[in-house]
């Protein structure tokens, strides 16, 4: 199956609080939540979308096609997601997202 | 799905795990696979691995066929691809050349990806496993036979199970190509296998730290 033809992800990002300004990540210090939530709360809405698609198994090209943005932009988002959630790899970021309930099956 | 006229009869496209013992057995099988393509001008060769692996494979091929292959390399019929610790870049290092070779009109691309495990120039094990699984989707859009050698003598047993057997629809061993009943489709593999990798769990990370921060299946029969 062509990754670019994958159906919409069956997962949805949950947890955290929607940031008031889409262009700015929420300051984790202001949420007062437990440390485990800091990762997701530092993500911008776009980064959360990207994490959702990563969790659905899409590669960067497929994510770019789905979100109608440049591959290089997706690449930047993915690197940022991995860094912000404190993972060392793409799969570790996805695993953390599932384990911490940041993405859940609908 | 059509069949190649070569023996074994590889489906096209196909993603095949070559199970071998040691370097010489791998070289023989890879040579047989690649030289069949060299004989047909309509076919291209794509050698992929850690930095320098493709070049060494090309030199080996030259020594076995007894001729200079640099003209084929220069005109793009032979492509050397490099692994990358960043799995996204590594995936792109495969997709972009496949697109270029396909656009050049080659009827078939013979891809050999020399597998490394937990190597510095390779993605981390969990990302590499995702990459192997993802290749099934990637190559479905191209006329390609992908051959991934797994050294049974060197790789941890569970790396062979997870990496070779569960991500390749076909296995090649002792010259015989077989459909692989242990193959798991990529979407299921991600959810049921990759996300359950021991070192990605909380308790597993503690064991990784105890091992000096080296993730992945330990050598031997460890947990």
């Amino acid at each position: 199956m062509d990754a670019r033809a994958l159906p919409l992800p069956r997962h949805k990002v949950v947890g955290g609080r929607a940031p008031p300004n889409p262009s700015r990540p929420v300051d984790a210090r202001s949420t007062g939540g437990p440390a485990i939530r800091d990762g997701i709360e530092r993500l911008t809405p776009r980064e959360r979308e990207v994490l959702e698609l990563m969790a659905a198994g899409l590669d960067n090209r497929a994510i770019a096609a789905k979100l109608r943005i440049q591959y290089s932009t997706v690449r930047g988002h993915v690197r940022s997601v991995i860094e912000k959630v404190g993972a060392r790899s793409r799969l570790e970021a996805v695993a953390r997202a599932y384990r911490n309930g940041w993405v859940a099956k609908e | 799905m059509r069949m190649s006229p070569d023996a074994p009869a590889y489906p096209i496209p196909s993603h095949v795990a070559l199970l071998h013992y040691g370097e010489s057995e791998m070289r023989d099988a890879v040579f047989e696979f690649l030289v069949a393509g060299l004989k047909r001008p309509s076919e291209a060769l794509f050698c992929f691995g850690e930095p320098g692996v493709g070049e060494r494979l090309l030199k080996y091929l030259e020594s076995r066929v007894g001729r200079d292959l640099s003209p084929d390399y220069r005109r793009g019929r032979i492509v050397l691809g490099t692994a990358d610790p960043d799995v996204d870049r590594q995936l792109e290092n495969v997709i972009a050349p496949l697109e270029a070779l396909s656009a050049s009109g080659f009827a078939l691309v013979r891809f050999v990806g020399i597998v490394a495990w937990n190597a510095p120039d390779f993605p981390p094990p969990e990302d590499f496993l995702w990459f192997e699984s993802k290749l099934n989707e990637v190559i479905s859009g191209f006329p390609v036979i992908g051959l991934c050698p797994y050294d049974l003598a060197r790789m941890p047993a569970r790396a062979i199970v997870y990496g070779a057997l569960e991500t390749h629809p076909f296995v090649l061993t002792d010259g015989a190509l077989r459909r692989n009943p242990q193959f798991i489709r990529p979407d299921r593999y991600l959810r049921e296998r990759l996300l359950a990798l021991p070192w990605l769990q909380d308790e597993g990370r503690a064991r990784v730290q105890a091992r000096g921060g080296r993730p992945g299946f330990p050598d031997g029969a460890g947990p």
Side-chain angles (χ1 to χ4, degrees):
Chain A
M1 183 169 63
D2 185 343
R4 285 154 280 199
L6 279 172
L8 283 168
R10 290 176 291 160
H11 302 79
K12 196 169 183 65
V13 172
V14 296
R17 190 178 60 183
N21 179 351
S23 65
R24 227 179 51 194
V26 166
D27 184 348
R29 290 168 300 185
S30 68
T31 64
I36 199 73
R37 303 189 70 83
D38 284 356
I40 188 68
E41 293 188 352
R42 289 176 63 203
L43 300 185
T44 66
R46 184 59 109 185
E47 287 166 346
R48 291 185 187 201
E49 280 185 280
V50 168
L51 177 59
E52 181 180 342
L53 295 170
M54 289 164 66
L58 273 64
D59 60 38
N60 287 3
R61 284 192 178 210
I63 294 173
K66 189 74 76 183
L67 298 181
R68 300 184 181 187
I69 58 179
Q70 293 289 316
Y71 171 87
S72 57
T73 306
V74 173
R75 187 171 156 68
H77 287 318
V78 169
R79 302 325 296 174
S80 180
V81 165
I82 292 171
E83 185 185 334
K84 285 182 180 179
V85 304
R88 66 163 196 147
S89 68
R90 185 183 182 103
L91 251 294
E92 186 174 11
V94 170
R96 283 190 181 197
Y98 276 99
R99 191 170 56 245
N100 294 323
W102 300 336
V103 293
K105 288 181 182 176
E106 284 182 341
Chain B
M1 187 182 288
R2 64 191 168 90
M3 306 299 280
S4 159
D6 300 314
Y10 295 99
I12 301 169
S14 61
H15 187 205
V16 182
L18 166 63
L19 306 180
H20 66 93
Y21 273 99
E23 181 105 356
S24 65
E25 198 174 296
M26 183 270 284
R27 286 187 171 200
D28 287 345
V30 166
F31 171 75
E32 185 182 329
F33 175 71
L34 291 177
V35 83
L38 271 181
K39 291 175 181 168
R40 297 185 180 85
S42 63
E43 297 187 8
L45 311 183
F46 184 3
C47 303
F48 188 89
E50 290 180 272
V53 164
E55 288 80 357
R56 287 201 294 277
L57 198 53
L58 183 59
K59 279 191 186 351
Y60 175 73
L61 202 55
E62 285 179 326
S63 71
R64 287 285 298 265
V65 299
R67 69 180 172 92
D68 178 17
L69 295 176
S70 54
D72 294 280
Y73 174 70
R74 279 198 298 274
R75 69 185 181 88
R77 187 186 169 210
I78 296 177
V79 175
L80 307 181
T82 307
D84 197 291
D86 179 334
V87 73
D88 297 315
R89 266 202 295 260
Q90 172 151 312
L91 200 56
E92 198 57 29
N93 288 353
V94 172
I95 296 174
L98 286 180
E99 285 178 335
L101 290 167
S102 187
S104 298
F106 287 106
L108 177 65
V109 179
R110 289 173 182 265
F111 172 90
V112 173
I114 304 294
V115 173
W117 183 259
N118 221 350
D121 293 317
F122 237 61
E126 65 273 19
D127 275 2
F128 168 67
L129 293 172
W130 177 76
F131 167 85
E132 275 284 40
S133 181
K134 202 73 195 166
L135 274 185
N136 291 295
E137 296 172 353
V138 167
I139 68 170
S140 68
F142 299 102
V144 58
I145 302 168
L147 190 68
C148 304
Y150 278 78
D151 192 339
L152 301 178
R154 292 178 57 187
M155 290 191 73
R158 282 196 291 178
I160 294 165
V161 173
Y162 274 70
L165 298 181
E166 294 187 342
T167 63
H168 295 78
F170 296 90
V171 292
L172 177 66
T173 180
D174 292 331
L177 181 72
R178 296 180 179 87
R179 195 170 284 278
N180 176 17
Q182 290 181 274
F183 169 68
I184 301 174
R185 296 180 66 86
D187 53 344
R188 192 175 162 200
Y189 181 73
L190 170 66
R191 290 180 180 87
E192 296 182 20
R193 301 300 267 168
L194 290 182
L195 295 177
L197 286 169
W199 63 88
L200 295 184
Q201 317 309 312
D202 286 333
E203 65 277 16
R205 282 205 309 279
R207 280 200 293 273
V208 166
Q209 283 165 358
R211 290 203 303 264
R214 284 179 64 80
F217 302 116
D219 294 334

